[in-house]
Amino acid sequence: MTATLPPTSSPQLEAPLAAPRPALAHDWRRIARMGSIAAFAQVFIALSNMPVALDGRTMVKPVLSLGYLVLLILPFAAGYRQGHQTKLEGVTQHAAGPNEVVGGLACGMIAGGGLSLLAVLLANFDLRDPLVNWSPILLDTLTFGNAPWFAVVIWLAIGAGAGASGGVLRLLGPRSRRATVTMVLAVIGAAVLESLMVDLADGLRLEALTDRLYAKRGGVTWPGALVLAAVSGGLAVVGRGRFRTARARLANLEGAKRSRANAGLILAAAAVLIVLPLFAGKLTNELLANVGLFVLLALGLNVVVGLAGILDLGYVAFFAVGSYSAAVLTAATSPKISPEMPWLVALIVVVVITGLVGLFIGAPVIRMRGDYLAIVTLGFGEIIRLLFQSDWLSGWFGGAQGITLIPGANIFGLTEVSGTDPRRVFYLVLAFCALAIYVSWRLERSRLGRAWMAVREDETVAEAMGINTVNVKLLAFVVGAILGSFSGAIFAAKVGSVFPSSFLILVSIVILVVVIFGGMGNIVGVIAGSAVLIGVLGGPKQPGLLAEFSEFKLLIYGALLVWMMLARPEGLIPSVRRTRELHQVEMAQDAWLRGQVDGEDGGGGDPQPTVQP
Amino acid sequence: MTDVQAATGPAAAAVRQPLLETRRLSVEFGGLKALDDLDLEIYEGEIVSVIGPNGAGKTTLFNAITATVESSDGDIVFEGRSLLGLDPNRVTSSGIARTFQNVRLFANMSVLENVMVSQHCRTKQHAFGALLYTRAFRREEAEIRQRAEKILEFFGTRLVGYRMDQPAFTLSYANRRRLEIARAMATQPKLILLDEPVAGMNPVESAELTGLIGRLRDEWGFAIVVIEHDMGVVREVSDRVVVLDHGVKIAEGDYADVANDPQVIEAYLGKGAGDP
Ligand SMILES: Nc1ncnc2c1ncn2[C@@H]1O[C@H](COP(=O)(O)OP(=O)(O)OP(=O)(O)O)[C@@H](O)[C@H]1O
Ligand SMILES: [Mg+2]
């Protein structure tokens, strides 16, 4: 157990607030700048065809489609953001007031103005040649079927409204703000999770509930949305304090009690995951299985990147080797190896093969550092795919035609796991995820895990402290490879065929984004990252809950990644260590303000803080 | 170049094998000879100070011994075996540990973890032990922890208690230097190389650490080579002082001899570095 210094605001920072600023006292240049950035982004989104393509997906029944929702977010965000005040020692903090609302309104209006301008241009010019989405349909979407001038007015108004509500959010106290945010998120979440909820409700015989909540042709109904908002808002107000104390109590538990509590939580999560699929239909199970496959991959990559700090951009290679070797060993259609093995036996061979490939690729790569290493792994990832695709080895791997008719995974003759029954696939994936979690968890807390940490911190010093950095890093590479091969072997049995095109560089990138987005080095974070990105947006070829997004998936991945790097580089659910790495200075400052500094006098072991004036 | 080697060292030096010996060791950076034909012997149980003006090649000597930089000529012999060509980690596991002049801790690891991880080359449980959670694995983990705590206790109350679980970057400058020494001790060496261990400390801390250096030898049995600019510390701890200038050994002997050596005085004053 390591003591953490969460970057909490300390009492010294919360000086009494100064009076609200006058309504019109703004840095107008800043507002114009933020507004125009948002306006540009709006135009970009519109021209990317998102509003039109996503208009088919209803979020709240008569009023809001996903297409329009994506156009509301930016003016709102700009309106909220413009009221941000820098929190620093010696900088006056003003109380929120009409100033925030006016600023938000102005900012949002400029943002909306982008679309107004676009509507006018759409009506008068034809730029279809370079801009493929420059179309009457887009104009129609922007004008709501009216004349262009209507679009000009309405988007200024919508922008102003969204921006102003962003400003209003600043007026609310922390409690009501939390409640409001929870309410909005609950409604959007319910809309996003619609197919999942309906599917589960079917299994649980709760159709009555979802029938009320969701409209016939998709989308949350008005009354449903209101009730949901009321309930979630109420829960947020009532539950928040309790939730926080419960979490604080959990964090403060000592040794044995703490691990018992953790074990309880894990068991509860496992129970849910085992029971849930029983009530879920095919679609949900398919989704869960896909998410599970990526969790498995992400856990493997997490050992390499998160624990040992080796930036591997070619991780898909091991997924591919796992898939192909399982396919060759089990499928009758693969010519070279004749006695076909049962899946479980083949898996042992697959592990050995992937481990060897990991060693083989790792040995030259691991001696490099940083950027060089990343580039070389990228190259190896492609080389492996090209080998599978090549005519030279097509006798083994079928070239571009791949290997088809791969039988399902036979588990001790008990069941046959194949793509036709996604529930069984999910259970198989779950079992291997459990294994992967166990492996990462145990290794992280061992001599080897500490050595990985040291290598990540400072390779030269780790070497000088007697750690054989080459061996240690190679081992991380191999462990990661083997975990990835599990996912590959399951993938082959699930899909029933493997093609080189399933193992594009893109897969490596997506797995890496999942790990970074979720929280590098943290098992729970990695799982959360897969659930959010793969489950909601979808994997490289797998549809997510928002299947409409599939066209824009990469755009959104990119945007999320950029935003994450700026706002929360440690990821969704960060590991303690990663947070330390990225926020050393802030934490040290916080510790200083709390008086927990380690004074130069040494101060002995006494935890008595000496507060500096 | 004066050679005063025979006059010094423990009485038995003539018959005893040196623990560490450099023979005509040279290190070149481009055209610059950072070390030039250096002969040096360190005996078991000795505390030797290496002094010299800035840029004299003191740190380079440590780097060469620990294989951090490549020596261009000569030989380094430790316990009768040459260290040349070994990787830094093999040098450490053969029994030489060091600290760094510009403190280089594993900043985001806890104080305890810093010391635990440095026992890597003295422990052997591998991945399978950890995965199967064998008894041998658990025993070794417990031992690693105990040893780490024992080492940290050597520094009094400064690195134990709540501080043990804090990340190393929260430590004060003096405590970072102490932790570096703790980490070196954890590799269970026969010889410790300390690069300016009291730099940046106030007189009280510096006096305390000087005492600890003595105890390191007396209680833990390490031979110690220490690079130091603080002449008070040098006089206090050293059995023998070696003076380097421009990569060349210009004097060697006990403190009084060296301090009065005209060449040494010239090397320092010539550089304008003040009276030693
Ligand atoms: N890696 C390197 N590459 C090039 N030159 C180097 C390198 N390391 C050291 N030098 C040079 O070698 C000479 C000796 O440096 P060294 O660090 O050994 O001095 P020092 O005696 O430790 O000095 P100080 O008292 O300032 O620590 C210096 O001129 C330095 O610039
Ligand atoms: Mg130096």
Side-chain angles (χ1 to χ4, degrees):
Chain A
M1 218 186 352
T2 41
T4 59
L5 297 171
T8 47
S9 51
S10 48
Q12 280 89 339
L13 275 180
E14 268 150 33
L17 295 174
R21 286 165 297 185
L24 294 178
H26 280 291
D27 179 356
W28 290 103
R29 279 232 305 256
R30 177 157 170 270
I31 288 197
R33 196 176 60 224
M34 288 183 68
S36 340
I37 292 174
F40 268 114
Q42 292 281 79
V43 171
F44 178 78
I45 291 177
L47 287 176
S48 76
N49 206 32
M50 242 190 260
V52 175
L54 303 184
D55 200 26
R57 170 84 185 237
T58 319
M59 300 297 277
V60 180
K61 178 56 185 161
V63 285
L64 187 63
S65 78
L66 192 55
Y68 286 109
L69 182 63
V70 295
L71 291 178
L72 283 181
I73 291 173
L74 281 174
F76 176 81
Y80 180 75
R81 179 71 200 173
Q82 60 77 37
H84 177 78
Q85 301 182 36
T86 316
K87 260 194 188 175
L88 267 184
E89 281 274 305
V91 177
T92 348
Q93 298 283 308
H94 292 275
N99 173 284
E100 269 73 22
V101 184
V102 174
L105 189 131
C107 212
M109 199 147 145
I110 302 175
L115 291 181
S116 306
L117 188 65
L118 181 66
V120 173
L121 293 176
L122 275 169
N124 294 309
F125 299 95
D126 182 10
L127 290 181
R128 198 150 200 178
D129 189 12
L131 304 170
V132 283
N133 297 316
W134 189 279
S135 69
I137 314 174
L138 179 58
L139 180 64
D140 204 48
T141 310
L142 290 182
T143 57
F144 298 86
N146 295 312
W149 66 262
F150 182 76
V152 173
V153 178
I154 195 75
W155 281 109
L156 284 176
I158 291 178
S165 30
V168 168
L169 198 58
R170 292 224 175 249
L171 292 185
L172 305 176
R175 267 188 133 189
S176 24
R177 188 189 307 175
R178 210 173 293 128
T180 317
V181 172
T182 314
M183 274 149 69
V184 174
L185 286 184
V187 174
I188 295 181
V192 168
L193 296 177
E194 181 175 344
S195 57
L196 189 76
M197 304 278 269
V198 171
D199 198 40
L200 270 181
D202 269 355
L204 293 168
R205 313 239 160 280
L206 292 173
E207 292 99 331
L209 212 64
T210 45
D211 281 352
R212 302 251 156 79
L213 184 58
Y214 296 111
K216 279 246 153 40
R217 295 247 200 79
V220 181
T221 57
W222 248 123
L226 285 182
V227 172
L228 197 64
V231 171
S232 57
L235 279 181
V237 170
V238 178
R240 176 68 193 189
R242 280 186 209 159
F243 179 67
R244 191 181 279 177
T245 42
R247 203 169 63 173
R249 208 175 321 138
L250 186 68
N252 284 333
L253 284 182
E254 286 290 324
K257 267 192 191 157
R258 168 76 181 255
S259 46
R260 225 175 303 147
N262 279 344
L265 281 179
I266 292 170
L267 279 182
V272 169
L273 283 175
I274 290 172
V275 174
L276 195 75
L278 293 176
F279 297 98
K282 214 166 178 173
L283 252 148
T284 307
N285 276 320
E286 173 78 26
L287 186 80
L288 286 176
N290 281 337
V291 171
L293 280 176
F294 273 90
V295 169
L296 197 46
L297 283 171
L299 283 170
L301 184 61
N302 183 49
V303 172
V304 185
V305 184
L307 298 188
I310 307 165
L311 184 53
D312 183 354
L313 296 181
Y315 190 64
V316 69
F318 305 122
F319 184 50
V321 171
S323 290
Y324 265 99
S325 39
V328 169
L329 292 170
T330 58
T333 43
S334 65
K336 282 286 162 134
I337 294 193
S338 264
E340 307 305 340
M341 306 178 185
W343 189 81
L344 269 184
V345 180
L347 189 66
I348 297 169
V349 185
V350 168
V351 165
V352 174
I353 293 176
T354 325
L356 288 177
V357 172
L359 271 181
F360 184 75
I361 296 183
V365 162
I366 229 71
R367 280 159 216 281
M368 297 174 211
R369 290 189 186 187
D371 315 353
Y372 300 102
L373 187 144
I375 298 297
V376 173
T377 53
L378 190 71
F380 270 109
E382 270 302 87
I383 289 173
I384 295 279
R385 183 180 66 86
L386 290 173
L387 281 180
F388 286 132
Q389 197 177 343
S390 66
D391 289 336
W392 174 48
L393 293 175
S394 64
W396 283 84
F397 305 119
Q401 270 71 47
I403 301 174
T404 48
L405 298 178
I406 303 167
N410 189 319
I411 309 296
F412 302 122
L414 292 176
T415 50
E416 171 96 357
V417 180
S418 69
T420 47
D421 186 354
R423 184 177 299 150
R424 288 189 203 156
V425 178
F426 174 70
Y427 282 132
L428 188 62
V429 172
L430 191 63
F432 278 95
C433 282
L435 179 69
I437 291 171
Y438 178 79
V439 168
S440 348
W441 175 71
R442 266 276 164 257
L443 289 185
E444 192 185 348
R445 281 157 193 75
S446 73
R447 167 175 175 267
L448 184 61
R450 284 190 298 267
W452 283 339
M453 260 185 260
V455 167
R456 203 181 60 192
E457 290 272 318
D458 190 331
E459 209 170 321
T460 315
V461 178
E463 178 91 27
M465 289 301 131
I467 296 169
N468 188 335
T469 50
V470 171
N471 280 0
V472 165
K473 282 164 70 183
L474 207 50
L475 207 54
F477 215 67
V478 171
V479 171
I482 290 174
L483 293 183
S485 76
F486 288 148
S487 192
I490 300 175
F491 177 78
K494 170 178 183 282
V495 180
S497 53
V498 289
F499 305 105
S501 63
S502 305
F503 308 106
L504 298 175
I505 279 189
L506 184 61
V507 182
S508 297
I509 307 288
V510 168
I511 305 169
L512 189 63
V513 172
V514 164
V515 172
I516 294 174
F517 181 83
M520 213 186 269
N522 184 337
I523 295 171
V524 182
V526 166
I527 296 172
S530 317
V532 171
L533 290 182
I534 308 298
V536 177
L537 291 174
K541 284 192 168 174
Q542 299 77 4
L545 283 172
L546 290 176
E548 292 82 359
F549 264 132
S550 58
E551 222 181 302
F552 311 105
K553 200 155 42 195
L554 295 181
L555 183 65
I556 297 173
Y557 271 21
L560 274 179
L561 197 60
V562 170
W563 173 75
M564 202 58 150
M565 289 300 98
L566 291 174
R568 200 178 158 87
E570 64 272 27
L572 213 55
I573 304 180
S575 77
V576 174
R577 234 168 277 285
R578 195 81 192 128
T579 318
R580 275 184 205 161
E581 276 165 36
L582 291 161
H583 296 285
Q584 258 191 27
V585 178
E586 290 101 310
M587 285 174 146
Q589 279 171 354
D590 278 353
W592 182 78
L593 282 168
R594 279 201 303 268
Q596 286 185 353
V597 278
D598 181 9
E600 275 298 330
D601 53 300
D606 83 293
Q608 201 58 263
T610 43
V611 181
Q612 257 91 359
Chain B
M1 208 195 300
T2 44
D3 203 354
V4 283
Q5 206 171 321
T8 55
V15 276
R16 260 201 308 173
Q17 259 240 324
L19 182 64
L20 176 84
E21 191 181 2
T22 68
R23 296 183 188 144
R24 303 179 63 80
L25 181 67
S26 298
V27 174
E28 280 182 46
F29 296 115
L32 175 83
K33 277 208 158 185
L35 282 184
D36 194 357
D37 276 350
L38 183 70
D39 287 314
L40 187 69
E41 282 157 15
I42 312 291
Y43 292 88
E44 228 163 272
E46 239 190 336
I47 301 181
V48 178
S49 292
V50 176
I51 64 172
N54 293 109
K58 307 181 293 293
T59 302
T60 304
L61 171 65
F62 280 13
N63 285 343
I65 295 173
T66 56
T68 319
V69 301
E70 212 174 318
S71 352
S72 47
D73 201 8
D75 199 0
I76 305 167
V77 180
F78 183 67
E79 294 191 303
R81 279 176 305 136
S82 171
L83 296 181
L84 285 192
L86 290 188
D87 284 340
N89 69 6
R90 303 271 300 133
V91 174
T92 307
S93 53
S94 71
I96 301 178
R98 71 173 293 180
T99 66
F100 293 88
Q101 181 173 357
N102 48 341
V103 187
R104 287 175 81 172
L105 293 170
F106 302 121
N108 299 297
M109 294 171 72
S110 74
V111 169
L112 189 66
E113 281 168 344
N114 262 280
V115 184
M116 284 170 82
V117 77
S118 303
Q119 299 176 33
H120 192 89
C121 60
R122 301 289 171 225
T123 46
K124 46 181 179 299
Q125 282 296 314
H126 248 295
F128 287 110
L131 290 180
L132 303 176
Y133 206 51
T134 57
R135 181 179 295 185
F137 170 77
R138 277 173 291 167
R139 185 163 0 100
E140 194 184 84
E141 282 294 294
E143 278 168 12
I144 290 174
R145 206 186 162 91
Q146 262 170 15
R147 262 199 299 269
E149 282 170 3
K150 183 166 163 239
I151 289 171
L152 288 174
E153 272 159 19
F154 176 69
F155 297 88
T157 51
R158 299 207 137 100
L159 296 174
V160 293
Y162 76 107
R163 220 159 251 168
M164 217 147 57
D165 289 324
Q166 285 193 331
F169 71 78
T170 61
L171 292 181
S172 71
Y173 193 70
N175 273 343
R176 287 181 203 192
R177 286 222 174 272
R178 294 187 185 106
L179 182 54
E180 274 233 332
I181 298 175
R183 212 169 53 168
M185 291 162 71
T187 65
Q188 301 176 26
K190 300 199 177 73
L191 172 67
I192 292 192
L193 312 175
L194 301 174
D195 201 340
E196 306 199 10
V198 306
M201 290 191 179
N202 67 32
V204 180
E205 291 165 341
S206 152
E208 184 195 309
L209 196 72
T210 311
L212 287 186
I213 293 176
R215 281 179 54 206
L216 272 180
R217 187 232 343 239
D218 301 339
E219 293 170 20
W220 295 73
F222 304 134
I224 296 166
V225 181
V226 46
I227 295 176
E228 194 41 70
H229 282 298
D230 183 327
M231 283 311 175
V233 177
V234 173
R235 182 176 51 217
E236 196 70 28
V237 299
S238 358
D239 298 324
R240 194 149 59 91
V241 180
V242 174
V243 190
L244 293 186
D245 187 25
H246 291 104
V248 177
K249 181 164 76 180
I250 54 167
E252 182 172 10
D254 60 26
Y255 178 81
D257 292 346
V258 165
N260 297 321
D261 190 302
Q263 245 185 314
V264 175
I265 293 168
E266 192 198 307
Y268 273 89
L269 288 182
K271 295 258 171 200
D275 203 0

